Amino acid sequence: LEGELGYLSACSGLPPPPLSDAEPLASWDSGGGSFQISARVGGALRVWEGPLGDSNVTATLLGLQGKVFAGASFGRSTPNPVSAQEAAALVARLEGELLPPPPPWLLSLLAIPGCRVVGFGERTSIFALAASLILPNDETAGDGGFLTVDSVWRAIELSLGKSDAQLAEASNSPLFDEEDLVLPKLLLLHTLMRRLGVKGVRYVRTMGNAEGVLLPQPLWTEVPAT
């Protein structure tokens, strides 16, 4: 159900065509400990779930630096400033050990000409962060923000070697005290885009899966009065 809600949430922020004509389309949700990419294939919803999110990627980067990861409840550790060598080591770990191979159905879907990839989430999502570093302020709040492999990489290059304070100053919008997650998020996003052969992701701002909850009929079936 979570995959379907995510798919519907992503579609809710898109301009026409309507949902019934939206294939091929893949929705991408990325959280603290996992990511989900969902799509309708042959009339059925398929979901690829990966065990990586910004928290465990940050923990991996801190480990490569010889530091210990501490969550928000313990006065969060920061990997910043991150060197180019440390970023390259993180990407190598992601590609070589941590990221599972994408399923054939997803690769086939993404190879279809015109397939759209939509990343959705609220203001602290991986896609909102990338948009805040790449796009003007008026594009970060809704659909219209298009993130390319090259633009995400430029954001990575601009973020390397910066402290938390310098990253906050460089962003086009507030980072909500998550400067420590900037490079882990950007590097995960860029690595997955390259792994999947995705040239661009359309960012749609949503309140998590809230918009999707409004759409599926089974959730709103009337309960007979007793």
Side-chain angles (χ1 to χ4, degrees), residues 136-147:
N137 281 332
D138 61 351
E139 289 190 289
T140 63
D143 55 297
F146 193 71
L147 313 173

Side-chain angles (χ1 to χ4, degrees), residues 139-202:
E139 289 190 289
T140 63
D143 55 297
F146 193 71
L147 313 173
T148 67
V149 174
D150 289 342
S151 65
V152 174
W153 181 250
R154 286 195 297 272
I156 290 170
E157 290 183 315
L158 291 171
S159 301
L160 291 171
K162 286 186 168 63
S163 66
D164 285 2
Q166 289 171 322
L167 285 171
E169 185 177 352
S171 175
N172 289 319
S173 60
L175 296 176
F176 305 102
D177 295 323
E178 293 193 349
E179 291 81 7
D180 55 316
L181 302 179
V182 166
L183 277 161
K185 286 183 174 182
L186 291 175
L187 289 165
L188 175 60
L189 175 60
H190 188 264
T191 302
L192 267 171
M193 289 176 76
R194 288 193 302 106
R195 168 71 67 93
L196 295 171
V198 172
K199 294 182 179 179
V201 178
R202 177 76 60 191

Side-chain angles (χ1 to χ4, degrees), residues 7-8 10-25 40 116 118 215:
Y7 182 82
L8 294 173
C11 293
S12 72
L14 291 176
L19 181 61
S20 58
D21 298 323
E23 289 185 295
L25 183 146
R40 293 202 179 279
R116 295 182 292 172
V118 178
L215 298 174

Side-chain angles (χ1 to χ4, degrees), residues 14 47 51 65 89 99 114 154 200-201 214:
L14 291 176
V47 181
Q65 296 174 321
L99 279 175
R154 286 195 297 272
V201 178
L214 299 173

Side-chain angles (χ1 to χ4, degrees), residues 21-218:
D21 298 323
E23 289 185 295
L25 183 146
S27 70
W28 185 350
D29 183 15
S30 187
S34 64
F35 64 84
Q36 292 183 326
I37 300 179
S38 308
R40 293 202 179 279
V41 179
L45 187 76
R46 305 289 297 271
V47 181
W48 180 42
E49 297 189 60
L52 284 177
D54 47 75
S55 292
N56 42 23
V57 172
T58 301
T60 300
L61 176 56
L62 287 165
L64 291 169
Q65 296 174 321
K67 301 176 184 177
V68 178
F69 175 76
S73 302
F74 303 96
R76 267 190 354 217
S77 356
T78 179
N80 296 318
V82 178
S83 69
Q85 294 76 16
E86 290 165 342
L90 176 62
V91 171
R93 181 71 63 85
L94 291 173
E95 293 180 331
E97 301 176 31
L98 301 178
L99 279 175
W105 65 262
L106 179 57
L107 295 176
S108 297
L109 182 90
L110 295 173
I112 298 173
C115 179
R116 295 182 292 172
V117 180
V118 178
F120 68 96
E122 50 192 320
R123 62 187 186 178
T124 60
S125 71
I126 191 171
F127 309 105
L129 167 71
S132 75
L133 295 169
I134 295 167
L135 304 168
N137 281 332
D138 61 351
E139 289 190 289
T140 63
D143 55 297
F146 193 71
L147 313 173
T148 67
V149 174
D150 289 342
S151 65
V152 174
W153 181 250
R154 286 195 297 272
I156 290 170
E157 290 183 315
L158 291 171
S159 301
L160 291 171
K162 286 186 168 63
S163 66
D164 285 2
Q166 289 171 322
L167 285 171
E169 185 177 352
S171 175
N172 289 319
S173 60
L175 296 176
F176 305 102
D177 295 323
E178 293 193 349
E179 291 81 7
D180 55 316
L181 302 179
V182 166
L183 277 161
K185 286 183 174 182
L186 291 175
L187 289 165
L188 175 60
L189 175 60
H190 188 264
T191 302
L192 267 171
M193 289 176 76
R194 288 193 302 106
R195 168 71 67 93
L196 295 171
V198 172
K199 294 182 179 179
V201 178
R202 177 76 60 191
Y203 168 51
V204 171
R205 183 165 177 174
T206 68
M207 292 298 294
N209 286 337
E211 287 83 347
V213 172
L214 299 173
L215 298 174
Q217 188 62 36

